[in-house]
Amino acid sequence: MSSFQALMVTNENQFQRTYKSLTNNDLPDGDVTIQIAYSGVNFKDALASIEKGGVIRNYPMTPGIDASGTVIDSQHPNFQVGDEVIVTSYGFGVTHPGGYSEIQRIPAEWIVPLPAGLSLKAAMVLGTAGFTAALAVAAIEEAGLTTDSRIVITGASGGVGSMALAMLHKLGYQNLTAVTRKSSAHSWLTALGAAEIVTPEALIPEKLKALAKQEYDFAIDTVGGKLAEALIPSLQYGGSMALCGNASGIQLQTTVLPFILRGVNLLGIDSVNTPMNKRKAIWHRLATDLNVTENLKVNEVGFNELPIVFDSLLTGTHEGRSIVKIGGK
Ligand SMILES: NC(=O)c1ccc[n+]([C@@H]2O[C@H](COP(=O)([O-])OP(=O)(O)OC[C@H]3O[C@@H](n4cnc5c(N)ncnc54)[C@H](OP(=O)(O)O)[C@@H]3O)[C@@H](O)[C@H]2O)c1
């Protein structure tokens, strides 16, 4: 029986992260087996790769919340050998072995057929980060986005933030403010469409007011904590914040005033359990009007270079989107 490589995290007596040689007998339950071409590297994957990262619930586990690849065996009528597919979300790379493996077996109901217009590589350039950015863009569209809207995007040098910025620019929105701590990111964020770039410090006041000057119509927040706390009181009457992330922590202290006096809305964004109909519709948009793969800052690494990317994500020095070539051509 032929063997294949997978990254494993184990936690027997002590936490370990190692590349292991596995065989088909080691594959988990599921009805579709795929040969993985590419995976992505998300903040959540970096957390999954460390002890007490809070992502992995049962060990041993293969992390990797994103994968694209080709079906090599199927026990399900919806998928045939040779089909190109995307797998993200649900328990993938969290409770069920994930994308950092040359071969993986998955439940059919987690699989999205690769939409026309995307390659296996482009699908992973987008990955969970692009999918989440697209959910956030769709949420603020539904909340009343107009061509004049002033939109602020936090964590702009990150995967979700940079893609949300690029998508809004591609759709024709111009009043885009990118919030970043990194001066090194200014030139490429401007190229992605940022009309203005500010630091988190410029937005976070010494003393937070319950209501502040109404600076923005919409916000896409990937950072949480003090930055989100500063932005909520700065939203225009009727404005909305799509709340996607917790890069600076899970706390959010605010008052009811922006909500009851200005009709402000908080829009929760969850990529993990998005129902399949909406998931397919968002992937269709990612292949068409929200396809920003040409414009992004992409860092492609080899399978054995994953730990370097984990470190840069965990230390906050990572920029843009990283993908990992597992077996892709
Ligand atoms: N809701 C969902 O379903 C979903 C899906 C995917 C991701 N997420 C979450 O969304 C967030 C972003 O994910 P990602 O993959 O884009 O991560 P990422 O690539 O690491 O980007 C996060 C960005 O946030 C900023 N940041 C990090 N630490 C910060 C701090 N302490 N204070 C202020 N800013 C900080 C940095 O941008 P600057 O240096 O430019 O400021 C960083 O590039 C994460 O919290 C992730 O868990 C949620």
Side-chain angles (χ1 to χ4, degrees):
M1 179 174 298
S2 59
S3 61
F4 58 90
Q5 291 294 305
L7 183 74
M8 302 283 287
V9 287
T10 54
N11 204 4
E12 277 175 46
N13 303 325
Q14 62 166 352
F15 181 88
Q16 279 192 318
R17 181 179 71 200
T18 44
Y19 289 91
K20 289 211 166 149
S21 184
L22 304 180
T23 70
N24 282 357
N25 290 339
D26 299 306
L27 289 171
D29 289 344
D31 17 38
V32 179
T33 307
I34 67 170
Q35 180 152 35
I36 294 180
Y38 288 91
S39 182
V41 198
N42 300 278
F43 190 67
K44 193 169 175 180
D45 297 315
L47 289 176
S49 79
I50 56 169
E51 190 174 12
K52 298 189 180 135
V55 170
I56 303 295
R57 315 238 177 91
N58 45 309
Y59 294 91
M61 185 54 66
T62 295
I65 63 168
D66 290 343
S68 64
T70 306
V71 174
I72 55 171
D73 181 71
S74 174
Q75 306 301 316
H76 194 281
N78 288 5
F79 296 98
Q80 317 303 326
V81 170
D83 286 354
E84 293 187 314
V85 295
I86 302 169
V87 191
T88 68
S89 312
Y90 306 106
F92 195 56
V94 178
T95 55
H96 183 103
Y100 299 150
S101 179
E102 290 172 313
I103 308 281
Q104 197 53 277
R105 189 178 287 148
I106 310 116
E109 57 270 25
W110 292 359
I111 302 175
V112 173
L114 185 72
L118 283 185
S119 65
L120 291 173
K121 180 174 173 179
M124 286 299 99
V125 168
L126 296 160
T128 289
F131 182 73
T132 305
L135 284 173
V137 168
I140 62 172
E141 282 177 336
E142 281 166 31
L145 197 57
T146 68
T147 47
D148 298 333
S149 297
R150 298 159 302 165
I151 312 160
V152 59
I153 300 125
T154 68
S157 79
V160 178
S162 61
M163 289 199 228
L165 174 66
M167 287 171 192
L168 289 164
H169 182 64
K170 180 165 183 169
L171 292 173
Y173 299 101
Q174 292 181 347
N175 295 329
L176 302 174
T177 299
V179 187
T180 182
R181 304 165 303 170
K182 300 186 186 89
S183 51
S184 58
H186 285 206
S187 58
W188 65 269
L189 290 176
T190 303
L192 283 190
E196 180 188 38
I197 301 181
V198 296
T199 61
E201 291 73 38
L203 296 178
I204 299 171
E206 243 171 60
K207 193 167 182 322
L208 201 61
K209 290 184 185 161
L211 294 171
K213 186 165 174 241
Q214 300 176 48
E215 299 274 7
Y216 304 106
D217 300 297
F218 294 94
I220 293 183
D221 178 56
T222 69
V223 171
K226 292 201 177 314
L227 194 47
E229 288 168 15
L231 284 172
I232 292 168
S234 305
L235 288 173
Q236 181 68 33
Y237 188 94
S240 298
M241 173 189 277
L243 193 45
C244 314
N246 58 339
S248 80
I250 61 166
Q251 298 302 322
L252 181 66
Q253 293 183 15
T254 188
T255 75
V256 299
L257 295 190
F259 307 99
I260 65 170
L261 297 181
R262 291 186 179 165
V264 160
N265 307 290
L266 265 191
L267 312 172
I269 303 299
D270 169 51
S271 63
V272 175
N273 290 305
T274 307
M276 191 43 93
N277 280 353
K278 184 171 183 184
R279 185 174 294 280
K280 285 183 179 166
I282 291 286
W283 273 107
H284 174 71
R285 288 195 69 182
L286 286 166
T288 52
D289 67 328
L290 298 182
N291 187 344
V292 291
T293 50
E294 296 292 309
N295 313 349
L296 295 172
K297 182 178 172 74
V298 180
N299 170 38
E300 180 178 324
V301 300
F303 198 5
N304 60 355
E305 295 171 294
L306 268 170
I308 303 168
V309 188
F310 293 151
D311 288 346
S312 66
L313 279 161
L314 292 167
T315 53
T317 54
H318 184 261
E319 292 185 23
R321 172 75 176 160
S322 286
I323 59 167
V324 50
K325 186 174 179 178
I326 306 274
K329 296 201 179 73

